Each structure stands twice: as structure tokens, then as C-alpha cells.
Amino acid sequence: MKALEWIIGIVAGFISGLALRIWVKEPSVSKMKYDRKKEEFYNAGRNQYEDIQTTKEKMRMEAQKNLTTERGTS
């Protein structure tokens, strides 16, 4: 009788776990890791782009300032 109860318990647990997994449909751990890495990669790229744009703007302003000082002294 004990073996039958164990088998019934294991089967019931397996079926309920499978049903719960189907109903909840949470993303897998690997999917969550992939999404996090993708978001980190996107944020790093965006930050680098913003840094490059800021540097370009500073260089443009410096070049403009240099041009105006050269024209003033020439």
C-alpha cells in the first residue's frame, strides 16, 4: 500500500507542477538572463552614444571658439 501511495503522490505532484507551469507561463531563467544582458547592452550603447555626442559638441564649440579668436587676431 505504501508504494502505491508514493506513486500516486509523485504522479499528482508532477501533474500539478506541470499544470501550474503551463498556467503561470513565467519566462525561463535563461530568458530573463538574456533580457537583462540585452538591456544592459542597450544601455551601455546608449551611454556611449551620448558620450560621443557630448564630446563632438564640445569639440565643435572649441573649434568655433578657435576660429573666432584666429579671425580676431588676423
Side-chain angles (χ1 to χ4, degrees):
M1 193 67 172
K2 280 204 174 254
L4 182 61
E5 290 173 355
W6 273 97
I7 291 172
I8 291 172
I10 290 172
V11 170
F14 178 75
I15 291 174
S16 64
L18 187 61
L20 186 62
R21 184 178 172 101
I22 289 171
W23 287 329
V24 172
K25 291 197 179 196
E26 290 183 6
S28 66
V29 173
S30 59
K31 173 78 170 143
M32 289 189 295
K33 285 182 179 179
Y34 171 77
D35 288 343
R36 186 178 68 229
K37 291 285 183 185
K38 186 170 73 170
E39 184 177 341
E40 289 173 359
F41 182 72
Y42 172 77
N43 287 335
R46 187 181 66 209
N47 290 340
Q48 288 175 354
Y49 175 78
E50 289 173 356
D51 290 344
I52 290 170
Q53 295 305 316
T54 303
T55 304
K56 280 183 182 178
E57 185 65 24
K58 284 180 186 176
M59 291 177 74
R60 187 188 65 75
M61 290 172 63
E62 234 177 89
Q64 188 69 29
K65 188 171 79 173
N66 287 343
L67 281 176
T68 56
T69 56
E70 282 182 15
R71 288 181 186 158
T73 58
S74 297

